[in-house]
Amino acid sequence: MTTVNWGVLGAANFAREHMARAIHEAEGARLAALATAHPAKAEGFRAFCPDLTVYPSYEALLADPGIEAVYIPLPNHLHVEWTRKALQAGKHVLTEKPIAMTADEIEALIALRDATGLLAAEAYMIVHHPQWQRAQALIAEGAIGRVLHADAHFSYDNRADPGNIRNRPETGGGSIPDIGVYTYGSLRWATGAEPVTLRTRIERENGVDTFALVSGDMEGPGGRFSFHAMTSMRLFPRQEVVFQGEAGLLRLTAPFNAGLFGEAQLHLFRAGQPDHLERFPGARQYCLQVEAFGRAVRGGAPFPWRLEDAQGTQAMIDRVFAAAE
């Protein structure tokens, strides 16, 4: 597979610490360019990629014919605009989650993707991690019987950083846009189920949700089950997902920030059988995501998280906010 040349729009801290490094290190990918109006911010990227070309504007990078794919880590409210502009410039696009602020906005991106024949996707890295791929397979094969209940929890505390884009309404902040994508989307992806009833409790500060507890019922190929999903930007850090079935229980530790929050582990408990533990210490989900994107661009391999998948999660987010109102 020939190498895909990547550019990054914006010198975000997350890009510098994680995704730009993943592009630089992934097989079949080359980090070639960065666009930032602040040259000093480029130095953190040049520290691991000395030959990086730095452009003073996003438009200048998109005009470079040598850049085939762009990664967009901009604030949430800019995702749709620059995904559209990148596609119109003839680039494949991987945009940070949430790719849009409402499900309706994604419809136009799907149409533009189809019209251009380019790959556009939301950077939903967990579906590339073997922990989640294994969980999905175990549920599908009935390892825990019919799923009857699921819990998904993701919290951290950033109250000490009021200027953070997650704490600002004008940049699309809030715990649900930031990490509800993971709690809601992971339940959907692992079970193939969609929400049918929702109950919500949301607490807000300065116009953004800082705590959200969502419960209800989901229904999919395996039938109907109840669920709880909690997100917060004001609680002690916690990450955990549990699927409880008629015949067993499946627990995922570090399900979202695998390797950063802790070691990714999958625990399987079944009556009358020894407890089963699988560890995934070496899996690097950001690199796996970049490599999967490259295979899709070069060989047409299916990409496991399509815009339609992102739209389904965003539709659930839209329903959560509507239920709270």
Side-chain angles (χ1 to χ4, degrees):
M1 183 179 80
T2 55
T3 298
V4 176
N5 287 321
W6 285 79
V8 177
L9 297 189
N13 291 339
F14 179 81
R16 184 187 69 245
E17 294 300 321
H18 301 292
M19 273 300 296
R21 292 177 184 271
I23 294 168
H24 180 63
E25 297 170 9
E27 183 178 347
R30 174 176 173 260
L31 179 59
L34 169 72
T36 177
H38 307 282
K41 291 185 177 182
E43 295 310 308
F45 293 80
R46 282 201 169 112
F48 60 87
C49 187
D51 61 345
L52 189 70
T53 298
V54 178
Y55 288 101
S57 70
Y58 305 151
E59 292 87 352
L61 187 150
L62 293 180
D64 184 343
I67 300 299
E68 301 168 87
V70 295
Y71 166 65
I72 300 177
L74 299 172
N76 295 343
H77 70 297
L78 299 175
H79 288 177
V80 169
E81 174 188 356
W82 285 99
T83 300
R84 182 181 69 252
K85 288 180 177 180
L87 286 169
Q88 291 169 339
K91 314 300 184 187
H92 303 284
V93 193
L94 183 65
T95 301
E96 261 311 316
K97 52 76 196 166
I99 198 168
M101 299 309 299
T102 67
D104 288 346
E105 292 181 303
I106 302 177
E107 201 63 46
L109 298 181
I110 291 172
L112 187 55
R113 175 203 65 188
D114 293 346
T116 60
L118 296 164
L119 176 59
E122 182 179 67
Y124 196 59
M125 74 290 186
I126 68 170
V127 301
H128 305 278
H129 197 290
Q131 174 186 223
W132 275 104
Q133 294 169 353
R134 180 72 170 133
Q136 186 190 59
L138 286 169
I139 291 170
E141 70 188 38
I144 60 172
R146 185 166 68 93
V147 175
L148 296 178
H149 183 75
D151 292 287
H153 298 265
F154 194 169
S155 62
Y156 58 87
D157 191 343
N158 72 350
R159 77 186 74 204
D161 187 11
N164 189 292
I165 60 173
R166 296 163 184 82
N167 285 319
R168 294 163 52 194
E170 69 273 18
T171 53
S175 78
I176 295 174
D178 186 38
I179 53 180
V181 173
Y182 294 124
T183 53
Y184 311 157
S186 63
L187 298 184
R188 293 181 57 249
W189 190 78
T191 64
E194 299 291 350
V196 289
T197 64
L198 288 174
R199 297 176 297 276
T200 66
R201 175 192 161 200
I202 294 179
E203 297 178 5
R204 301 178 187 272
E205 295 177 17
N206 189 37
V208 299
D209 73 280
T210 55
F211 173 90
L213 178 62
V214 181
S215 60
D217 295 289
M218 301 182 76
E219 190 164 8
R224 190 163 176 151
F225 61 90
S226 62
F227 79 96
H228 290 100
M230 185 274 286
T231 60
S232 179
M233 305 190 300
R234 297 294 184 268
L235 290 178
F236 187 81
R238 179 187 179 191
Q239 296 187 26
E240 184 179 41
V241 176
V242 175
F243 298 95
Q244 194 164 0
E246 293 176 314
L249 182 144
L250 187 63
R251 175 179 288 117
L252 283 71
T253 67
F256 307 124
N257 294 133
L260 300 174
F261 180 79
E263 182 184 68
Q265 297 181 359
L266 184 150
H267 299 254
L268 178 61
F269 305 94
R270 291 176 288 189
Q273 299 188 42
D275 295 346
H276 179 72
L277 169 63
E278 297 182 24
R279 291 186 165 95
F280 306 89
R284 302 173 64 198
Q285 56 189 359
Y286 298 115
C287 278
L288 293 171
Q289 176 177 242
V290 172
E291 290 169 357
F293 194 93
R295 289 192 296 271
V297 166
R298 285 290 181 253
F303 195 70
W305 189 255
R306 304 163 303 148
L307 287 180
E308 288 83 354
D309 299 308
Q311 188 177 40
T313 296
Q314 188 59 52
M316 185 172 176
I317 290 173
D318 293 350
R319 286 187 59 187
V320 167
F321 281 124
E325 294 171 359

